[in-house]
């Protein structure tokens, strides 16, 4: 590759600031971490935040100290920061930072290498000392008003990619405008955490990055601009023009690499950065995660943790109140879909414990049942929601049914199956099948309506009613598995069978995915801007060409097409079962 020197990816998460350095061959060369509770204890945070009931916030001064500290650690380790060519990265999504009137001037005069960022910027540069965190649940009233203004949750999702959520930036801004009038009046610019960090590194206020703006409940994704009616309701008596000005008027677009500026003289003087070191836009953490893998259109990332999260790259703008759509941060004319399930590992663990009669936490019995092809679960289906579920939106419940595979009608509800080994197999099947039907509207390609008498049958999931063939014949391109449970062969193989990827299933460990995505984005952007790669080399094609494939483990599934087709008969009964839960 033509990259020389190093490329940094920073990840400002809730509990840490992490910084990775890669070389031009995409190899990680150095890592440093600032743990907020441990390394900056004088802020008295717990897990990086202040919690007061439903209000959860982060001290902005702590983030400024962390930026200095992470570069001090690099310098102390003897890492040559003068060889860093470009920086990008990620930050916790939805949080907002409120710059005080005059903050732009303070940033422009950020030159004193004998001082630090806190001395020069905090608190004088901010109208609020804290930033709302994604865990905040204090904006219920504002969410209701925003959805009403849009015409309901479905309409709001159509405009902004999501229904109203407590953590989203629009409701948070609205609450501050209503409850903290002086702070709001004294605010020159509102940043997301991602544009805040970009602004610090550039020493100038920069607009919000487009993909991260999609997590605000303000940005019209299709129109590519802030929505007037949503600006109006959020700004209240201060007016939409005032709010639009605070948001810098427009966003930093993601259709091609955007150079935000060179690194500030402060970092050159204090830490030895090259003055030509380029800063490219930071984005949200989930958005950076999909930049850490060679994901193309119709590829899926399955994160198997306590909860299950599906991330995918799609060119289909098909929003739903039950999931999220964002503009892709690096691929033009594509989106990132994000589907979150509350019930992941916890639900599986309950079935495992029951199978072991609560005598052991071993997965052996569970795994054997999941992969036992002689264990016939045709005509059986269940949902296992020990926690209230997001998708579908229902309260905690467990339901088992028997259905007729010929006409797909539910025959009866049962308290248990013939033996509890069936539960082990069916819980993994049902979790994977739910993901399969939810990603179907987001997969592009032709629909095969031949050789299936049910192809014209209308099937309902969440807010969608589509032909059975739409759910039964679309397959993802590739599937990548990450997260704790991705180490379990049985669970990953069963998910692979149900999802039916056409071009392979892969597993990898991604402990630093957000920061690594920033590294890759910095490398590609800088090569593109400096014309060391052709402009036609898109981000996804770049990663697919150069990604270190030795980090990927392919999951082999025999007869995957045959096995994938076998789960078609469960789609209609699952739809009927979910309808009965509401």
């Amino acid at each position: 590759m033509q990259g020389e020197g190093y490329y940094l990816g920073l990840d400002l998460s809730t509990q840490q600031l992490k910084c990775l350095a890669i070389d031009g061959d995409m190899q990680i060369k150095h890592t440093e971490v600032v743990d907020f509770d441990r390394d900056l204890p004088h802020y008295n945070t717990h897990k990086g935040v202040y919690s007061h009931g439903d209000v959860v916030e982060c001290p902005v001064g702590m983030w400024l100290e962390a930026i200095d500290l992470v570069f001090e650690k690099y310098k102390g380790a003897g890492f040559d920061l003068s060889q860093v060519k470009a920086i990008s990265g990620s930050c916790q999504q939805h949080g907002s930072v409120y710059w005080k009137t005059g903050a732009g001037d303070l940033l422009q005069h950020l030159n004193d290498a004998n001082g630090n960022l806190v001395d020069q910027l905090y608190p004088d540069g901010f109208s609020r000392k804290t930033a709302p965190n994604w865990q905040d649940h204090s904006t219920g009233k504002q969410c209701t008003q925003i959805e009403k203004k849009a015409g309901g949750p479905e309409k709001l999702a159509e405009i902004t990619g999501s229904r109203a959520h407590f953590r989203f930036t629009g409701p948070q801004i609205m609450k501050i405008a209503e409850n903290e009038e002086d702070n709001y009046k004294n605010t020159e610019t509102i940043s997301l955490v991602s544009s805040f960090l970009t602004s610090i590194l550039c020493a100038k206020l920069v607009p919000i990055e487009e993909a991260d703006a999609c997590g605000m409940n303000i940005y019209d994704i299709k129109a590519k601009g802030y929505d007037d009616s949503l600006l109006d309701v959020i700004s209240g008596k201060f007016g939409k023009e005032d709010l639009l000005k605070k948001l810098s008027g427009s966003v930093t677009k993601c259709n091609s690499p955007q150079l935000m500026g060179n690194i500030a003289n402060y970092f050159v003087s204090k830490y030895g950065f090259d003055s030509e070191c380029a800063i490219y836009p930071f984005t949200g953490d989930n958005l950076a995660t999909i930049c850490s893998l060679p994901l193309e259109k119709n590829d899926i990332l399955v994160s198997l943790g306590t909860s299950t999260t599906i991330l995918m790259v799609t060119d289909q703008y098909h929003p739903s109140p039950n999931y999220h759509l964002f503009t892709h941060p690096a691929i033009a004319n594509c989106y990132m879909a994000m589907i979150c399930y509350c019930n992941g590992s916890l639900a599986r663990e309950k079935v495992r414990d029951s199978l072991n009669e609560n005598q052991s936490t071993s997965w052996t019995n569970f795994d054997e049942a999941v992969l036992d092809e002689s264990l016939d679960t045709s005509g059986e289906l269940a949902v296992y929601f020990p926690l209230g579920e997001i998708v579908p939106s229902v309260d905690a419940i467990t339901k088992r049914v028997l259905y007729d595979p010929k006409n797909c009608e539910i025959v009866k509800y049962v308290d248990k199956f013939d033996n509890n080994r069936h539960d082990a197999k069916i819980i993994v099947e049902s979790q994977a099948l739910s993901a399969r039907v939810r990603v179907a509207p987001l997969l592009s390609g032709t629909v095969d309506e031949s050789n299936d008498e049910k192809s014209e049958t209308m099937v309902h999931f969440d807010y969608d009613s589509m032909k059975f063939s739409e759910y039964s014949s679309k397959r993802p391109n590739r599937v990548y598995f990450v997260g704790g449970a991705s180490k379990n062969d049985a669970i990953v193989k069963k998910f692979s069978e149900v999802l039916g990827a056409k071009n392979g299933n892969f597993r990898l460990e991604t402990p630093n995915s957000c920061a690594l995505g920033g590294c890759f984005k910095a490398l590609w952007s800088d090569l593109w801007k400096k014309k060391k790669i052709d402009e036609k080399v898109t981000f996804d094609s770049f990663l697919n060409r150069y990604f270190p494939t030795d980090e990927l483990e392919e999951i082999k599934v025999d007869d995957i097409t045959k096995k994938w087709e076998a789960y078609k008969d469960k789609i209609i009964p699952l739809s009927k079962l979910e309808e009965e839960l509401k």
Side-chain angles (χ1 to χ4, degrees):
M1 225 188 302
Q2 299 178 55
E4 299 174 350
Y6 303 112
Y7 302 84
L8 298 190
L10 281 80
D11 174 33
L12 177 51
S13 65
T14 301
Q15 299 187 50
Q16 297 179 331
L17 174 63
K18 186 174 293 182
C19 183
L20 263 62
I22 64 168
D23 62 15
D25 293 320
M26 292 186 166
Q27 298 299 311
I28 297 174
K29 292 300 180 181
H30 195 72
T31 304
E32 292 289 353
V33 178
V34 175
D35 182 282
F36 299 145
D37 290 1
R38 181 193 66 213
D39 295 331
L40 301 169
H42 47 285
Y43 284 95
N44 297 311
T45 56
H46 177 63
K47 296 185 176 180
V49 300
Y50 299 139
S51 298
H52 304 285
D54 288 337
V55 176
V56 183
E57 298 187 307
C58 308
V60 177
M62 180 178 73
W63 294 343
L64 294 171
E65 282 202 47
I67 296 167
D68 272 322
L69 183 54
V70 80
F71 291 142
E72 287 284 359
K73 289 188 173 190
Y74 262 81
K75 193 175 176 181
F79 189 91
D80 187 1
L81 290 170
S82 72
Q83 297 303 306
V84 175
K85 304 302 180 185
I87 303 175
S88 186
S90 73
C91 296
Q92 54 186 273
Q93 289 186 250
H94 316 298
S96 44
V97 177
Y98 298 79
W99 297 91
K100 193 175 183 178
T101 301
D105 290 335
L106 282 178
L107 280 170
Q108 287 181 4
H109 294 90
L110 186 61
N111 294 311
D112 185 5
N114 294 317
N116 54 45
L117 293 175
V118 169
D119 292 340
Q120 297 177 69
L121 297 175
Y122 189 81
D124 293 347
F126 302 91
S127 53
R128 295 186 90 250
K129 295 182 180 180
T130 56
N133 176 261
W134 61 270
Q135 298 169 88
D136 187 279
H137 273 66
S138 65
T139 57
K141 181 183 79 168
Q142 290 78 18
C143 287
T144 300
Q145 291 173 323
I146 291 170
E147 286 191 344
K148 183 178 179 182
K149 180 73 172 182
E154 195 167 4
K155 182 61 178 176
L156 184 63
E158 183 182 323
I159 298 168
T160 71
S162 304
R163 68 174 303 168
H165 290 278
F166 296 129
R167 65 188 183 277
F168 273 42
T169 323
Q172 294 288 342
I173 293 171
M174 187 174 176
K175 185 188 80 168
I176 289 167
E178 290 173 347
N179 299 340
E180 303 175 29
E181 290 191 12
D182 287 343
N183 288 341
Y184 188 82
K185 274 191 235 178
N186 291 330
T187 297
E188 174 182 339
T189 299
I190 299 173
S191 291
L192 295 185
V193 185
S194 56
S195 56
F196 154 79
L197 186 46
T198 311
S199 297
I200 295 295
L201 293 173
C202 292
K204 64 180 180 180
L205 293 171
V206 303
I208 290 167
E209 185 256 9
E210 182 180 16
D212 212 9
C214 299
M216 299 177 74
N217 281 144
I218 309 175
Y219 190 71
D220 186 328
I221 295 178
K222 293 294 284 183
K224 294 187 174 296
Y226 292 111
D227 181 85
D228 275 353
S229 64
L230 296 174
L231 287 170
D232 189 51
V233 68
I234 288 166
S235 61
K237 69 179 185 180
F238 293 99
K240 62 185 178 184
E241 294 300 328
D242 176 70
L243 177 53
L244 187 61
K245 184 179 178 182
K246 285 176 166 55
L247 295 172
S248 303
S250 61
V251 299
T252 299
K253 295 295 176 67
C254 295
N255 54 342
S256 64
Q258 306 292 322
L259 177 63
M260 305 311 295
N262 293 331
I263 196 163
N265 186 58
Y266 169 83
F267 297 101
V268 175
S269 302
K270 194 175 183 73
Y271 302 111
F273 280 95
D274 187 330
S275 61
E276 297 299 311
C277 175
I279 309 299
Y280 294 98
F282 281 58
T283 191
D285 47 13
N286 290 299
L287 293 155
T289 296
I290 62 167
C291 293
S292 69
L293 290 167
L295 294 174
E296 298 178 302
K297 181 179 68 176
N298 294 337
D299 286 345
I300 296 173
L301 174 65
V302 180
S303 178
L304 295 167
T306 303
S307 57
T308 298
T309 301
I310 310 294
L311 300 176
M312 72 174 291
V313 178
T314 175
D315 63 356
Q316 304 295 301
Y317 188 73
H318 186 90
S320 167
N322 278 15
Y323 55 75
H324 309 283
L325 276 177
F326 301 79
T327 296
H328 193 286
I331 305 175
N333 303 315
C334 277
Y335 309 95
M336 182 194 79
M338 178 177 174
I339 307 172
C340 301
Y341 296 91
C342 287
N343 293 282
S345 293
L346 176 64
R348 294 190 295 270
E349 287 168 6
K350 286 184 175 292
V351 172
R352 175 204 65 188
D353 295 344
S354 176
L355 194 58
N356 294 337
E357 298 180 341
N358 293 311
Q359 299 300 306
S360 167
T361 58
S362 168
W363 287 95
T364 301
N365 293 333
F366 183 97
D367 295 349
E368 288 176 351
V370 171
L371 295 178
D372 187 351
E373 295 189 7
S374 67
L375 191 64
D376 185 9
T377 57
S378 61
E380 299 176 342
L381 191 62
V383 292
Y384 306 82
F385 301 152
L387 299 174
E389 189 49 87
I390 302 171
V391 186
S393 181
V394 296
D395 293 333
I397 191 171
T398 296
K399 282 283 187 181
R400 300 174 180 85
V401 299
L402 303 179
Y403 69 92
D404 184 342
K406 292 182 179 179
N407 60 22
C408 299
E409 294 294 334
I410 293 176
V411 176
K412 65 176 178 178
Y413 289 83
V414 295
D415 292 330
K416 58 183 179 179
F417 296 120
D418 288 343
N419 69 66
N420 55 8
R421 295 184 78 235
H422 288 229
D423 284 313
K425 191 170 187 177
I426 291 172
I427 188 174
V428 183
E429 289 178 351
S430 66
Q431 289 180 340
L433 191 63
S434 178
R436 172 173 166 173
V437 298
R438 264 79 194 195
V439 302
L442 298 164
L443 294 170
S444 55
T446 58
V447 175
D448 181 9
E449 298 184 2
S450 62
N451 302 320
D452 196 329
E453 61 184 21
K454 298 190 294 292
S455 64
E456 296 294 316
T457 301
M458 297 302 292
V459 182
H460 185 78
F461 284 104
D462 306 326
Y463 293 81
D464 283 318
S465 288
M466 301 193 305
K467 291 179 181 178
F468 173 72
S469 55
E470 291 279 348
Y471 291 110
S472 62
S473 65
K474 287 185 174 180
R475 298 172 65 178
N477 179 33
R478 297 172 297 187
V479 177
Y480 295 85
F481 293 94
V482 300
S486 69
K487 298 179 177 66
N488 184 300
D489 289 342
I491 293 171
V492 167
K493 285 183 178 179
K494 184 58 65 177
F495 260 82
S496 299
E497 290 175 5
V498 176
L499 292 173
K502 293 182 287 188
N503 291 309
N505 298 276
F506 304 91
R507 171 168 52 194
L508 73 163
E509 293 187 23
T510 57
N512 302 314
S513 59
C514 297
L516 190 59
C519 290
F520 292 163
K521 195 159 163 281
L523 173 59
W524 170 72
S525 298
D526 208 48
L527 294 179
W528 195 93
K529 274 289 185 185
K530 292 174 180 174
K531 300 187 184 304
K532 293 185 177 182
I533 56 174
D534 191 276
E535 288 186 0
K536 295 179 182 178
V537 179
T538 60
F539 181 75
D540 50 331
S541 63
F542 176 78
L543 279 193
N544 273 277
R545 185 183 304 177
Y546 296 114
F547 188 83
T549 55
D550 57 341
E551 296 182 14
L552 297 175
E553 175 192 353
E554 186 168 5
I555 308 299
K556 299 291 186 181
V557 182
D558 296 332
D559 300 320
I560 188 168
T561 298
K562 182 179 178 181
K563 290 174 179 175
W564 169 77
E565 288 178 341
Y567 288 99
K568 291 180 180 179
D569 288 340
K570 288 184 180 269
I571 292 174
I572 294 176
L574 178 64
S575 170
K576 294 179 178 179
L577 172 56
E578 288 190 4
E579 284 297 298
E580 290 294 324
L581 301 178
K582 297 177 181 178

